[in-house]
Amino acid sequence: MEEINNPIIMVRMGEQTLKGRNRHRFERAVLEHLQWRLERFPHVQFEASYGRLYIHLNGESYIDIAERISRTFGIFSFSPVNRCELSLEAIRETALRLMKSLKDKPTTFKVSVRRVNKDFLHDSQSMNNLVGGYILQAIAGLEVDVHTPAVELRIEIREQHAYIFCEIIPGLGGYPSGTNGKAIVMLSGGIDSPVAGWLALKQGLELEAIHFHSFPYTSERAQQKVIELAEQLSCYSRSIVLHMVPFADIQTGLKELGNETLLITLMRRAMLRITTELGRQRACKAIITGDSLGQVASQTLPSMSVIEQAAGMPILRPLIMMDKQEIVSKARMIGTFPVSIQPYEDCCTLFVPKSPSTNPNPSVINRLEQRAAWLQGTMDEAIRNTVTVTITERMARETDSYF
């Protein structure tokens, strides 16, 4: 990506433009999120229009601003644009200047005009010819190729101005942050759960995170790894509230029940009970997990069925039908993969039995939990001793450690 001289970025809204009466709410949410994300650029100005948002750079860095736009949900695409008045002469001259300013001089081009303003004198096809012919006469060696042009010169004729541009940068799509409710993601130190959290953010969920640690059986560095994953997710959201739950006493107590093959099932059920309680305290309406069908013993259909019975709110599983390579590819794309593969164990890997059950018996599970009279009290204590931190993208850059 290169710096440009264009003073305006045109932002096109994503799925929320299809939401009828809710469209204005979603567009306002995108605007507010971008205003927050670009608050470090004091000269930037915003101009909202139907289905569009115009960002006036006023001398600020296009590269830095475009990078932040590219990490904002609810945006279908964006373009650096030149704007001019609604006259054929102004449009021709602006289009010619843009073509001449291109660093890589094209040999072929086409003009594509979209006339939103139906009161404009010339229709789209006429404008294609009027602008294209003008540019052909002015630039020697340039030819028209309507099928595979080196450059597609695009012109949008809107209500008050015309916008001329050559580049369309894809956005993340999805819905703007927080427009579809609030959920809590069970964030381990692995590859899967951060991807699940990212997909939840993309669908417009405000996200909090919960992590179960087994200090002193696991190191503080394992906790810091999870914080780094939350930091990476915070690059796509205003903030991530992270709850660090001490889980070692619960794990050791469950292990002493003596049925090692069911240990993971019992652990996961305890985690869901704690997550439900903390989620309710934080007004969350669902739990997000990184489950992928059949990937490990606790993610078979029988296991998930038994485990989810302990939850007191809906469980959403964004990865449930994805294979490992798909998940890894997404983790690389969002920037969590290098952190996830750091060699610091989480509480589940430390206590995993040699042969965990893939088809746990609900009756046996219930009997084991009834024997564990201490369990509810120990879970309540874990909730009381939970450490909660709020992580933002800015704090991620400025803080080495939260502990």
Side-chain angles (χ1 to χ4, degrees), residues 24 187 371:
H24 294 295
L187 189 63
R371 284 172 46 195

Side-chain angles (χ1 to χ4, degrees), residues 4-64:
I4 59 169
N5 296 320
N6 308 67
I8 300 173
I9 298 175
M10 175 194 288
V11 175
R12 302 170 189 85
M13 304 300 180
E15 292 182 11
Q16 70 276 7
T17 60
L18 306 176
K19 301 293 282 188
R21 295 179 181 178
N22 289 323
R23 180 177 59 83
H24 294 295
R25 178 171 70 91
F26 288 127
E27 291 182 354
R28 185 168 60 252
V30 172
L31 172 59
E32 290 173 354
H33 198 175
L34 280 174
Q35 287 174 329
W36 170 81
R37 193 174 287 283
L38 301 181
E39 65 182 0
R40 294 184 175 186
F41 303 92
H43 299 107
V44 162
Q45 293 179 315
F46 296 88
E47 177 187 350
S49 181
Y50 187 89
R52 296 285 188 271
L53 180 64
Y54 301 98
I55 302 175
H56 297 257
L57 301 185
N58 295 322
E60 300 285 5
S61 168
Y62 167 74
I63 291 176
D64 291 341

Side-chain angles (χ1 to χ4, degrees), residues 341-353:
I341 62 173
Q342 292 175 9
Y344 302 105
E345 63 282 293
D346 61 23
C347 65
C348 289
T349 57
L350 187 67
F351 281 79
V352 66

Side-chain angles (χ1 to χ4, degrees), residues 226-279:
V226 173
I227 290 169
E228 290 172 13
L229 290 172
E231 289 173 352
Q232 192 61 38
L233 289 177
S234 75
C235 296
Y236 299 91
S237 175
R238 291 196 181 193
S239 63
I240 298 289
V241 174
L242 175 61
H243 308 280
M244 306 289 284
V245 182
F247 200 64
D249 289 345
I250 296 171
Q251 285 179 289
T252 54
L254 292 173
K255 188 176 178 65
E256 289 172 1
L257 291 177
N259 196 323
E260 186 172 315
T261 62
L262 296 176
L263 179 58
I264 292 296
T265 302
L266 293 166
M267 284 168 47
R268 295 281 290 179
R269 283 168 62 92
M271 289 176 179
L272 280 177
R273 290 189 176 102
I274 293 172
T275 301
T276 297
E277 178 58 31
L278 279 172

